[in-house]
Amino acid sequence: MSSFSESALIHKLAELNNSMQIIQTLSLWLIHHRKYSKTITQVWQTELIKAKPAKKLTFLYLANDILQNCKKKGPEFHQAFRCVLITAFTHVVKYADEATKKSVARILDVWQERSVFQVEFIDKIRNAIVKVTKKAKPAKPKPEVTVKPKTPEEPPEKKSRLDELIMEEEDDDYLTLSPGQPPDAEELVKALNELENAASTDAVVREKIASLPPEVQDISRLDKIADGESAHRLSRIVDEACQLLAEYNGRLINEIDDRRKVARMLADYTKQQRALLKESEDKLADYKEKLAKVSEVRKELKSHLQNLPDLTMLPNVTGGLAPLPSAGDLFNG
């Protein structure tokens, strides 16, 4: 098999179509180069987003073939794809017709039947799809009203793709206590310390993103491209920016999962500590009751002792008392 490179992967993805043979051939090539799984999934996500709507489903078919066939050869792709699948599925569904949506649902059903991922993660994808589908439904017509246009000082709020993804994934019961033994204090502290090195604290990458040239996000600047060399240079910059953002978004998604895991650990730990506190309070109340009873007995005993005669007040008999007569003395007398 040919050696792996990002450019070769991009070229192969550009030639990808619904042919089962082409999908399986590319899948085998990628599984062979599974040590690059992280790079592969990032490029896969970037190219899926750039692809035309009619071709986006094919990318999911490719991911499906990889995930089902790499079980025997290693779990690398399962972890790598977890970082991008929610974004990928919601993106595909956003531009999909009804037939495509049914195909997407079928992929998730197969994954659940064959335990490709845990049911919890598959349900996360389904919930995200449902929320995107609801947002995509046309709103009911409203009566015309005159709306005062916003001034330049009041630009409309724009949410990043990551913000939208967080909203899509967020559930009211995400703090549901996880099954099993609650974490001990040392384990919880370790998990909290690991969050200190999370993606959101990576100032270097954030600085790189902030320093991206305006050309990579302003379509109006494309009109200023005058020659092929400038176009190729801009294309290379845009590809690098997509790679950087896709990787950083993947890290942020992992951070969200980690923070939710820690939140569940904190909830479990808090519940355990409250249970221990309640147990201690019950014991304290029980011991207070026992102390009151013992104090009452002590008081009664002290009162009883005070009513007993004082032996020290008896007369002192010199020489002691005479011995009692024996049985023989009694009968012989």
Side-chain angles (χ1 to χ4, degrees), residues 208-209 211-219 221-222 233-242 245:
K208 287 182 180 179
I209 294 174
S211 303
L212 290 173
E215 289 84 357
V216 303
Q217 52 185 331
D218 189 353
I219 298 177
R221 292 177 178 261
L222 297 178
R233 184 169 60 253
L234 178 59
S235 176
R236 187 167 56 255
I237 294 174
V238 170
D239 287 342
E240 291 174 355
C242 286
L245 289 168

Side-chain angles (χ1 to χ4, degrees), residues 18-217:
N18 283 331
S19 167
M20 185 59 66
Q21 182 179 357
I22 291 178
I23 291 174
Q24 291 177 344
T25 301
L26 180 53
S27 173
L28 289 173
W29 183 75
L30 293 173
I31 292 173
H32 177 74
H33 295 291
R34 59 186 176 277
K35 65 179 179 180
Y36 304 104
S37 58
K38 187 175 181 180
T39 301
I40 289 169
T41 52
Q42 289 164 359
V43 174
W44 174 87
Q45 181 191 39
T46 302
E47 296 304 308
L48 179 149
I49 294 172
K50 290 162 59 178
K52 295 180 179 179
K55 189 179 177 180
K56 294 181 186 294
L57 181 61
T58 310
F59 280 78
L60 295 184
Y61 286 151
L62 175 63
N64 172 63
D65 198 84
I66 294 171
L67 289 166
Q68 292 204 52
N69 287 292
C70 71
K71 275 186 173 182
K72 300 176 183 178
K73 298 186 178 180
E76 295 90 347
F77 275 110
H78 283 77
Q79 183 59 37
F81 268 112
R82 280 182 67 94
C83 300
V84 298
L85 281 177
I86 295 178
T87 304
F89 271 90
T90 52
H91 176 80
V92 171
V93 170
K94 186 183 271 188
Y95 299 95
D97 54 21
E98 289 303 317
T100 302
K101 290 177 182 177
K102 289 181 180 178
S103 298
V104 169
R106 177 58 185 155
I107 292 174
L108 293 175
D109 290 341
V110 170
W111 286 3
Q112 183 167 340
E113 292 168 5
R114 302 182 181 179
S115 301
V116 176
F117 287 105
Q118 293 180 345
V119 176
E120 181 183 3
F121 179 68
I122 296 174
D123 285 342
K124 276 188 178 181
I125 299 176
R126 288 194 177 112
N127 292 336
I129 289 174
V130 170
K131 292 179 181 179
V132 169
T133 305
K134 287 181 179 178
K135 291 178 184 179
K137 289 183 179 179
K140 294 181 179 179
K142 296 180 180 179
E144 293 186 3
V145 292
T146 303
V147 180
K148 183 180 179 181
K150 291 185 178 180
T151 61
E153 291 75 24
E154 299 175 340
E157 271 190 10
K158 292 184 178 180
K159 293 182 179 180
S160 68
R161 179 69 190 92
L162 183 62
D163 291 334
E164 293 176 0
L165 181 60
I166 293 172
M167 291 178 66
E168 289 165 3
E169 283 191 296
E170 193 172 47
D171 294 320
D172 293 335
D173 60 344
Y174 77 97
L175 281 179
T176 300
L177 300 183
S178 55
Q181 189 71 17
D184 55 28
E186 184 178 349
E187 182 182 358
L188 184 58
V189 170
K190 181 181 178 182
L192 290 169
N193 288 335
E194 288 176 354
L195 289 179
E196 293 182 359
N197 299 320
S200 58
T201 64
D202 193 337
V204 176
V205 175
R206 291 167 60 187
E207 180 64 27
K208 287 182 180 179
I209 294 174
S211 303
L212 290 173
E215 289 84 357
V216 303
Q217 52 185 331

